[in-house]
Amino acid sequence: MESTERTEQRKTVLSGIQPTSRLTLGNYLGALKNFVAMQEEFDSFYMVADMHAITVRQEAAELRRRSVETAALFMACGIDPEKSTLFIQSSVPEHVMLTWVLNCNTYMGELNRMTQFKDKSARHADNINAGLFTYPVLMAADILLYQAHLIPVGADQKQHVELTRDLAERFNKLYGNTFVVPEPYIPKVGARIMSLQEPENKMSKSDPNPNGYIAMLDDPDTIVRKIKRAVTDCEECISPDRCCPGVYNLLTIYSACSGKTLEEAAGELEGQGYGVLKARTADAVVSVLEPIQKEYARILQDKRYLNDTLVNGAEKAQRRARRTVSKVYHKVGFDSVKR
Ligand code: TRP
C-alpha cells in the first residue's frame, strides 16, 4: 500500500469542527474530550472547518475571529500542538485542489441523498448554493488528503464519512491505490449529552432556547442557573436506566464531569431530591469548564503565540496534504507542465 511511505506507523485520526457558533458542553464531552485522549495514541489532525462555514452566509470579520477562537478553545481543552496537528482548513489550499478532482468523481445522485443537505436546504431556502450541495465532497477531501484511518464524528456526520469511503474506493479502483479508506469512529467512551429543556433532542449550539444548552464559555452562575432550570420529567427517581430522559441526562453529565460511572453517580444520589442532583451536577460542570475557560482567556491574550501555532499547524498539515495532491494530480494527468 502506498500509504506506507508515511513516516508514522500509528493510525491517523482526523476531525473538524465548524467555527460557526459557540461550542457546548455536549461538543466537549462528546467530541473534544475524545480528541484530546486520542492524540496520545494516534497521529492526529484537528481542523477548524472555516471553508465549510461559508456554505451559510458569514460575516468576514466574525468568521476570522471565530476561527481563531475555536482553535484557541481546542488548545484550552488540551489539544497540544506538539502532539497533534492543529490548523485552520482555509490555510491549507490543498483542500480545494483535491475537492475539484473529487467533485468530478462524485455523482449528483449521491449528493442528493445526503440528509444534511436536505435539512440545510430546508432551513436556508433562500440560499441553496452549490457549496451546500458539494459540502460532503470538501469533507471527503479533508479526510483523504491526510490519509486518515479514523474519523471521530457524531451520528449526523456518519453519512458523509460513508460517502468518503465510496469516493476513496472508486478513485483507488480507477487510478490505482491512492487513498486510505477511512472509517467513522464512534468512541467507546463519549457521552451523548441531550438538551436540558427537551431531553429527547441532542444538546445543540443552534438551539434557539439558550437554556437548552451549556456553552463551554458560560460563566459559573449561568451554568448553575441553566442546570437548576433543567427539566426533570419524573418524580424522585434517580436511576442509571433511561426511564426519565431529563434525569438520566443530568446523571450522564454528572458522571462524565466527575469521572464516576453512571452506577456510582446514581448510587451516591439515591434517595436524594433533584435539588441535590442539580447542585452536584452544576458543581461538576463548573469544575470541568472553569479551568478550560481560564486557559482559553490566557491563550487568547497571547495573539502572537496563537498565530505562530496556527502557522506551524498549517505548514505541518500542508506537508502531508501536498504529498497526496501530487500523487492525485499525477494520476489524473495534471502534471503536463514541468517547471
Ligand atoms: N462537517 C463536520 C460538521 O459539521 C465538520 C467537518 C468538516 C469534519 N470536515 C471534517 C468532520 C472532516 C470530520 C472530518 O460537524
Side-chain angles (χ1 to χ4, degrees), residues 27-309:
N27 294 116
Y28 177 68
L29 296 175
L32 282 158
K33 199 176 159 194
N34 282 306
F35 294 179
V36 174
M38 278 185 276
Q39 71 184 347
E40 305 298 333
E41 193 182 338
F42 301 108
D43 184 23
S44 316
F45 290 77
Y46 299 122
M47 178 187 85
V48 177
D50 60 343
M51 293 172 66
H52 280 99
I54 67 161
T55 53
V56 174
R57 296 242 181 281
Q58 302 291 337
E59 212 264 300
E62 186 154 329
L63 180 61
R64 195 176 290 126
R65 180 176 58 77
R66 285 193 162 164
S67 297
V68 173
E69 286 177 357
T70 305
L73 196 53
F74 276 41
M75 287 159 72
C77 289
I79 292 192
D80 177 350
E82 300 291 324
K83 292 181 182 160
S84 297
T85 304
L86 172 65
F87 65 104
I88 293 181
Q89 187 183 28
S90 65
S91 65
V92 181
E94 279 72 10
H95 290 253
V96 194
M97 299 168 77
L98 184 58
T99 297
W100 179 249
V101 176
L102 295 179
N103 262 328
C104 297
N105 286 280
T106 308
Y107 302 118
M108 299 287 283
E110 289 177 305
L111 295 178
N112 258 324
R113 281 201 295 275
M114 296 290 124
T115 56
Q116 191 178 62
F117 171 67
K118 291 185 212 168
D119 292 350
K120 284 203 180 171
S121 29
R123 266 190 287 136
H124 302 277
D126 56 333
N127 181 19
I128 306 179
N129 60 74
L132 197 60
F133 190 61
T134 62
Y135 173 116
V137 183
L138 176 59
M139 182 161 155
D142 299 338
I143 294 169
L144 299 180
L145 268 180
Y146 300 96
Q147 307 287 356
H149 301 85
L150 300 174
I151 316 302
V153 283
D156 61 323
Q157 297 296 319
K158 223 178 133 197
Q159 201 186 22
H160 295 159
V161 181
E162 302 295 346
L163 175 74
T164 305
R165 289 172 59 84
D166 292 344
L167 298 185
E169 281 167 356
R170 181 173 308 151
F171 195 94
N172 286 349
K173 221 171 173 177
L174 271 169
Y175 294 98
N177 209 359
T178 310
F179 297 123
V180 167
V181 180
E183 276 172 46
Y185 180 78
I186 315 291
K188 286 168 250 133
V189 286
R192 190 167 148 76
I193 306 299
M194 311 307 279
S195 158
L196 299 177
Q197 292 298 317
E198 293 162 37
E200 303 74 34
N201 301 331
K202 201 171 116 174
M203 181 180 282
S204 163
K205 48 194 173 183
S206 41
D207 190 336
N209 179 358
N211 286 323
Y213 62 86
I214 294 170
M216 287 188 66
L217 299 176
D218 275 347
D219 58 55
D221 289 347
T222 308
I223 294 172
V224 170
R225 183 171 43 77
K226 286 182 177 178
I227 292 180
K228 253 190 200 149
R229 289 192 187 163
V231 303
T232 44
D233 12 45
C234 35
E235 276 173 41
E236 307 308 318
C237 152
I238 296 182
S239 136
D241 25 270
R242 294 162 194 259
C243 53
C244 321
V247 176
Y248 178 76
N249 190 35
L250 289 173
L251 207 55
T252 308
I253 294 174
Y254 177 49
S255 136
C257 290
S258 64
K260 295 174 182 154
T261 64
L262 268 182
E263 288 70 23
E264 285 165 357
E268 174 194 320
L269 290 159
E270 213 190 306
Q272 315 251 24
Y274 290 150
V276 179
L277 168 66
K278 288 178 170 181
R280 297 264 167 90
T281 304
D283 277 352
V285 172
V286 169
S287 68
V288 165
L289 292 185
E290 215 172 27
I292 294 177
Q293 295 174 358
K294 290 211 171 106
E295 182 62 5
Y296 173 73
R298 193 190 64 78
I299 294 170
L300 269 190
Q301 264 179 5
D302 198 345
K303 289 273 177 329
R304 177 86 163 268
Y305 165 72
L306 182 52
N307 190 66
D308 286 352
T309 303

